[in-house]
Amino acid sequence: MGDVFKALADPTRRTILDELTDRNGQTLFEICARLATKHGLGSSRQAVSQHLDVLEAAGLIETRREGRYKFHYIDTRPLEPIVQRWLKEPRRDHREN
């Protein structure tokens, strides 16, 4: 779970996940272009590639090669244990105690 929290701690990585949620299966070039045009983030391709590596190591994205292109896909399965841990039981108002 630590890798997931580390990956989600960075705002650029969260923005990359938002972009993959909006349009799954993007190449590095497409992700860089969308970060620049939609979010004004001028990160280099190398920096974005490093962010993608962190997200992949945490299991939050999967990649698939097609020819010389590498496509990135969001994978929300690593978030399920986090949701289960804190949201599985109804909330109680602690002020009642």
Side-chain angles (χ1 to χ4, degrees):
M1 227 186 297
D3 288 346
V4 173
F5 284 113
K6 177 186 171 190
L8 295 174
D10 185 89
T12 300
R13 289 193 282 270
R14 291 192 305 267
T15 303
I16 290 169
L17 291 175
D18 289 340
E19 285 305 315
L20 290 174
T21 299
D22 188 44
R23 185 169 168 271
N24 213 5
Q26 295 183 59
T27 64
L28 173 62
F29 178 79
E30 291 170 314
I31 293 168
C32 289
R34 288 173 69 102
L35 291 177
T37 57
K38 289 179 66 181
H39 304 279
L41 296 175
S43 301
S44 68
R45 288 179 67 167
Q46 181 179 6
V48 173
S49 181
Q50 289 173 346
H51 284 302
L52 290 167
D53 289 344
V54 172
L55 291 168
E56 187 173 14
L60 292 166
I61 64 168
E62 293 180 343
T63 59
R64 188 178 77 231
R65 284 206 173 270
E66 290 184 22
R68 63 184 189 134
Y69 297 102
K70 184 177 182 182
F71 294 90
H72 302 84
Y73 299 87
I74 190 167
D75 184 354
T76 58
R77 286 179 292 179
L79 299 174
E80 291 171 9
I82 296 168
V83 170
Q84 290 298 317
R85 181 174 177 174
W86 286 296
L87 299 178
K88 67 180 174 183
E89 295 179 22
R91 294 186 198 186
R92 294 188 315 241
D93 189 351
H94 292 286
R95 293 177 288 191
E96 294 176 4
N97 294 335

